[in-house]
Amino acid sequence: MRKSPLILVIEDEEDLLELIEYHLLKEGYEVEGFLSVKNVEPFLAEEEADLMIVDRNLPGTEGSEFVASLRAKGIDIPVIFLSAKDQERDIETGFLRGGDDYMTKPFNMNELLLRIKALLKRTKNDLFSDRLIYKDIVLDLKRREVFIEGKEISLTRLEFDLLYTFIKNRNVVLSREYLLEQVWDTDAEHQEKTVNVAIKRLKEKIDPKKEKRYIEAIRGVGYKLC
Amino acid sequence: MRKSPLILVIEDEEDLLELIEYHLLKEGYEVEGFLSVKNVEPFLAEEEADLMIVDRNLPGTEGSEFVASLRAKGIDIPVIFLSAKDQERDIETGFLRGGDDYMTKPFNMNELLLRIKALLKRTKNDLFSDRLIYKDIVLDLKRREVFIEGKEISLTRLEFDLLYTFIKNRNVVLSREYLLEQVWDTDAEHQEKTVNVAIKRLKEKIDPKKEKRYIEAIRGVGYKLC
DNA sequence: TTTGATTGTTACAGTACGGTAACATCAAAA
DNA sequence: TTTTGATGTTACCGTACTGTAACAATCAAA
């Protein structure tokens, strides 16, 4: 695993790209540069980047559209946008998300480095507040992502909420009644059998080979995670 | 009482040890590092640690054996094991206890920090799990676990509820009628004989060698725990 | 010691419970 | 619209649990 953060830089002006890469490397970051959007996504399929620096004025795609398309696919990396002075106004109109930042060209390299540092720190702190870990299961609450032994698996809303409830109450036996209250709509009435099936489906996803037995049925009482 | 948790790190690679120490200190933990197993136990005799990070591949002793030997002496500190990739498989085969965790090298420092946080929080919470104790019997009500002389035994719903009722009413003679009311379905009618058999089965499980005689029959009246 | 009542033990059968799959329903996406 | 995926419902099966009855052991009083 990586010791220092990996930063992607997507910038079509080759000189500027090299300048940024140089400074980032000097700061001890790992850097991967791209002259266009083309090869970024395949790269991300292989490597987990910590931050992207994206020029908004790329040939072909708009930088912000590219980022939006990544987000639609669940790739959620904080971004620092580089934009021309005259685009400054657009910035405020929505495409910037909570974790993001931007700078207008021409910019001061020191300021960029400072912002990178700040952004990385911020996202790192976010991880602390939002991740729930049980054995080799990691739940990212904000992103609603689940990793088991480091590999991501996809859960439905119900399954995620169910697993979340179990991890929050690890080792405690939860009755079907309680689970229905916590996980299902409070107003809708459901049979307790419904819980059985939901748990069966969850088990199937988090432990398809039935090796781990994370969730156990406690006959006559309910279920528990142990 | 310590302000921040004390974490022991046992790792023979000096660089890695220093790296871990550095990050733990930065997170505000108190840290004590060891290059080998040798001085750990004397240290534990003096100081109460909250967590240990133990490399499984130490020169001389196997990390897990060392931890097992501590446990045999009643030193019961949660452990995060660091193991090489190819040892990953052993992990499941038993030496990992309920409170423990592990990571495979090379690992992500952030993830280690997350797991430390989670583990510390969990063990802290565990202290508050509500338990009912009678002599050497421990009932954990939320988890529905029963320990006798420290060893867990498994009870069915009926047996657990029965034992619970007895411990709640220790030294009091309980009539079969009362027990039927308390433990069995209130609506279903049962013979009083049913209680006899249920208690016989419970006795069998909590005292198979018939040494303890926890539950005693009071002729003509009922049963009591004494 | 004997006797009858009470309790313990065992075997057996019925039941309830949980797992599973198949189907139905619903909502969202294409 | 059609299609897809998510969720609820139902039915069925195997099994763990539990009630019952029959019998054995024990106890207490005579």
Side-chain angles (χ1 to χ4, degrees):
Chain A
M1 203 129 279
R2 215 181 320 283
K3 281 175 202 146
S4 51
L6 170 62
I7 301 178
L8 308 194
V9 186
I10 307 161
E11 168 59 65
D12 60 321
E13 294 175 50
E14 200 160 353
D15 290 347
L16 180 57
L17 177 60
E18 278 177 14
L19 181 68
I20 296 174
E21 285 186 76
Y22 168 75
H23 281 279
L24 293 182
L25 288 168
K26 212 173 107 195
E27 285 296 309
Y29 297 114
E30 287 191 38
V31 184
E32 195 72 27
F34 298 87
L35 285 165
S36 83
V37 144
K38 201 175 60 186
N39 297 316
V40 175
E41 210 178 320
F43 181 84
L44 282 172
E46 298 297 320
E47 297 278 344
E48 195 175 336
D50 300 287
L51 193 148
M52 286 193 294
I53 297 168
V54 180
D55 191 347
R56 285 196 61 197
N57 294 93
L58 294 167
T61 327
E62 240 278 283
S64 53
E65 280 176 26
F66 169 67
V67 171
S69 78
L70 286 182
R71 299 249 156 97
K73 289 168 189 150
I75 300 169
D76 194 5
I77 300 167
V79 174
I80 295 178
F81 286 101
L82 305 178
S83 63
K85 192 92 181 172
D86 56 342
Q87 289 179 315
E88 205 168 356
R89 222 167 284 149
D90 315 11
I91 293 287
E92 284 121 24
T93 65
F95 79 85
L96 215 56
R97 310 208 334 174
D100 300 334
D101 206 343
Y102 76 96
M103 301 193 68
T104 50
K105 291 199 276 191
F107 57 83
N108 175 289
M109 188 56 72
N110 275 333
E111 197 185 340
L112 178 62
L113 294 175
L114 282 172
R115 291 193 182 218
I116 288 169
K117 211 170 171 185
L119 195 47
L120 285 175
K121 191 178 165 197
R122 182 148 28 112
T123 51
K124 200 187 90 186
N125 288 342
D126 272 357
L127 289 181
F128 277 102
S129 54
D130 290 346
R131 285 199 163 188
L132 205 58
I133 298 174
Y134 174 77
K135 288 187 178 168
D136 47 14
I137 303 178
V138 179
L139 287 199
D140 189 312
L141 301 183
K142 272 196 183 161
R143 301 183 183 178
R144 297 210 133 230
E145 289 170 345
V146 184
F147 300 87
I148 296 190
E149 294 173 351
K151 283 167 67 180
E152 183 167 9
I153 62 165
S154 86
L155 295 185
T156 68
R157 182 203 65 80
L158 189 74
E159 288 158 356
F160 187 93
D161 292 346
L162 200 51
L163 184 54
Y164 170 69
T165 306
F166 272 109
I167 292 184
K168 232 181 21 179
N169 298 291
R170 61 189 66 197
N171 300 316
V172 175
V173 180
L174 304 177
S175 69
R176 287 160 229 278
E177 191 193 350
Y178 176 81
L179 289 169
L180 281 172
E181 250 176 50
Q182 290 291 312
V183 179
W184 276 258
D185 279 349
T186 29
D187 48 336
E189 286 287 306
H190 290 296
Q191 308 185 30
E192 300 208 329
K193 273 268 180 188
T194 298
V195 179
N196 293 24
V197 180
I199 285 180
K200 184 254 177 186
R201 285 167 180 158
L202 174 60
K203 278 177 167 181
E204 179 71 26
K205 283 202 185 168
I206 62 178
D207 184 22
K209 292 170 195 162
K210 301 187 185 182
E211 297 164 327
K212 303 293 189 62
R213 308 204 321 139
Y214 295 109
I215 297 173
E216 220 178 311
I218 307 300
R219 205 163 238 274
V221 188
Y223 295 88
K224 88 173 168 181
L225 179 72
C226 57
Chain B
M1 192 95 187
R2 215 183 314 282
K3 279 172 212 151
S4 52
L6 170 62
I7 300 178
L8 308 193
V9 186
I10 307 163
E11 167 62 64
D12 62 307
E13 291 172 49
E14 198 161 0
D15 291 345
L16 181 56
L17 178 60
E18 279 176 15
L19 181 69
I20 295 174
E21 284 184 310
Y22 166 74
H23 281 280
L24 292 183
L25 288 168
K26 213 170 106 196
E27 288 294 318
Y29 297 115
E30 285 185 37
V31 184
E32 194 71 37
F34 298 87
L35 285 165
S36 82
V37 147
K38 204 174 59 187
N39 296 315
V40 175
E41 215 182 316
F43 180 84
L44 283 172
E46 300 296 323
E47 295 279 329
E48 192 171 334
D50 300 286
L51 193 149
M52 286 192 293
I53 297 169
V54 180
D55 190 345
R56 287 195 60 196
N57 294 94
L58 295 168
T61 329
E62 242 276 286
S64 53
E65 280 174 26
F66 167 67
V67 170
S69 77
L70 288 182
R71 299 246 158 101
K73 290 168 191 152
I75 300 169
D76 195 6
I77 301 168
V79 173
I80 296 178
F81 286 102
L82 306 178
S83 65
K85 192 87 181 173
D86 53 17
Q87 290 180 314
E88 208 166 352
R89 223 166 281 148
D90 326 355
I91 292 287
E92 286 125 52
T93 64
F95 80 86
L96 215 59
R97 308 207 334 174
D100 299 337
D101 208 342
Y102 76 96
M103 301 194 67
T104 50
K105 288 201 277 190
F107 57 87
N108 177 286
M109 189 57 70
N110 276 334
E111 199 184 340
L112 178 62
L113 294 174
L114 282 169
R115 293 196 178 217
I116 288 169
K117 209 173 172 185
L119 196 45
L120 286 173
K121 192 178 163 199
R122 191 177 346 141
T123 51
K124 209 182 82 189
N125 287 344
D126 276 356
L127 298 178
F128 296 105
S129 171
D130 50 349
R131 294 186 155 190
L132 205 59
I133 298 172
Y134 174 78
K135 288 187 178 168
D136 47 14
I137 303 178
V138 179
L139 286 199
D140 190 311
L141 303 183
K142 281 188 179 169
R143 302 183 179 187
R144 293 210 138 231
E145 289 170 345
V146 185
F147 300 88
I148 296 191
E149 294 173 353
K151 283 169 66 180
E152 184 169 6
I153 61 166
S154 88
L155 296 186
T156 68
R157 183 201 63 78
L158 190 74
E159 289 158 356
F160 187 93
D161 291 346
L162 200 52
L163 183 55
Y164 170 68
T165 307
F166 272 109
I167 292 184
K168 231 181 22 178
N169 300 292
R170 59 189 66 188
N171 302 316
V172 177
V173 181
L174 305 176
S175 69
R176 292 178 175 75
E177 191 194 348
Y178 176 80
L179 288 170
L180 281 172
E181 249 175 50
Q182 290 290 312
V183 178
W184 276 258
D185 277 351
T186 32
D187 48 337
E189 287 287 307
H190 290 297
Q191 309 182 29
E192 299 206 333
K193 283 271 185 187
T194 297
V195 179
N196 293 24
V197 181
I199 285 182
K200 184 261 170 184
R201 285 167 180 158
L202 174 59
K203 280 175 165 181
E204 178 71 26
K205 282 201 185 167
I206 63 178
D207 183 22
K209 292 168 192 161
K210 304 189 185 181
E211 298 161 328
K212 303 293 188 61
R213 307 204 321 139
Y214 295 110
I215 296 173
E216 225 177 306
I218 308 300
R219 229 178 156 73
V221 190
Y223 295 89
K224 91 171 171 184
L225 179 72
C226 56

